[in-house]
Amino acid sequence: MLNREYEVYVKGDRRYDLSTMEITKPSNAKIVNVTVDAIDGEERSKARLTFVLQDGEWRLDSPTY
């Protein structure tokens, strides 16, 4: 289904500078929140991502847009 009222926030490729990744609170043994620099073209901003431990593997649990 296409939502015609939705405006795209990120129009190019978003890349993450993993060397800037930091664990933030709240985090525990099964859920980890991190901040990381997101690079959109020439713009740089902070992104917050959440990972969850599921079946012994870490999975992304937040949108990356």
Side-chain angles (χ1 to χ4, degrees):
M1 179 186 328
L2 179 64
N3 183 350
R4 296 177 194 268
E5 297 176 19
Y6 177 76
E7 185 176 339
V8 176
Y9 176 69
V10 177
K11 299 196 180 201
D13 289 335
R14 176 175 276 182
R15 297 171 192 250
Y16 295 98
D17 182 354
L18 300 181
S19 69
T20 64
M21 188 179 292
E22 295 179 2
I23 296 174
T24 59
K25 294 181 181 180
S27 292
N28 58 45
K30 296 192 180 213
I31 298 174
V32 175
N33 291 295
V34 300
T35 58
V36 62
D37 284 359
I39 305 163
D40 301 312
E42 296 297 317
E43 292 186 37
R44 201 171 183 105
S45 62
K46 287 283 186 186
R48 182 177 172 162
L49 303 174
T50 301
F51 295 89
V52 295
L53 185 60
Q54 185 177 35
D55 299 326
E57 296 182 359
W58 288 100
R59 308 279 182 165
L60 185 62
D61 191 48
S62 57
T64 57
Y65 50 83

